[in-house]
């Protein structure tokens, strides 16, 4: 059995294999009180720079909902791979995000954002 935070990190890592990014984000929004320190511990276990980029980008885009501290994003940025990449295999009409070196369309609209 894994923690909720490990499950969230696993879902972000493999979102294209499971429900897709939008569905993963919708499910994440249903989880109350994600612990950013536990997320960072799960990322450290994975030791994957691209996963740090993905998580940093996604949680930063949803910062109003999750209210993670700046230190979380600094840690994600510190361990990011630094490579320019696409969040998804589909790479048409993407906008490059400089901090996370990600090419991605706007994440889903969470109702009034």
């Amino acid at each position: 059995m894994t923690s909720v935070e490990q499950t969230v990190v696993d879902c972000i890592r493999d979102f294209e294999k499971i429900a897709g990014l939008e569905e993963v984000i919708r499910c994440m929004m249903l989880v109350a009180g994600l612990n950013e320190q536990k997320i960072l511990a799960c990322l450290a276990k994975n030791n994957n720079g691209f996963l740090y980029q993905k998580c940093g980008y996604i949680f930063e885009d949803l910062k109003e909902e999750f209210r993670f501290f700046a230190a979380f994003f600094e840690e994600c940025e510190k361990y990011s791979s630094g490579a320019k990449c696409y969040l998804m295999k589909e790479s048409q009409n993407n906008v490059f995000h400089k901090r996370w070196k990600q090419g991605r369309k706007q994440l889903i609209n969470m109702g009034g954002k």
Side-chain angles (χ1 to χ4, degrees), residues 22-38:
E22 289 80 7
E23 191 61 31
V24 167
I25 290 173
R26 282 189 185 94
C27 290
M28 287 169 55
M29 299 302 290
L30 298 173
V31 178
L34 278 178
N35 183 305
E36 63 193 280
Q37 292 305 315
K38 289 182 181 179

Side-chain angles (χ1 to χ4, degrees), residues 11 79 107:
C11 289
Y79 292 107
L107 292 182

Side-chain angles (χ1 to χ4, degrees), residues 7-25 27:
T7 301
V8 167
V9 169
D10 292 344
C11 289
I12 291 172
R13 181 188 60 228
D14 297 327
F15 70 82
E16 288 190 287
K17 296 178 185 174
I18 51 176
L21 182 59
E22 289 80 7
E23 191 61 31
V24 167
I25 290 173
C27 290

Side-chain angles (χ1 to χ4, degrees), residues 34-36 39 59 63 65-73:
L34 278 178
N35 183 305
E36 63 193 280
I39 296 281
F59 282 111
K63 65 184 168 196
E65 288 81 0
F66 289 101
R67 303 186 193 283
F68 284 4
F69 291 104
F72 172 84
F73 302 107

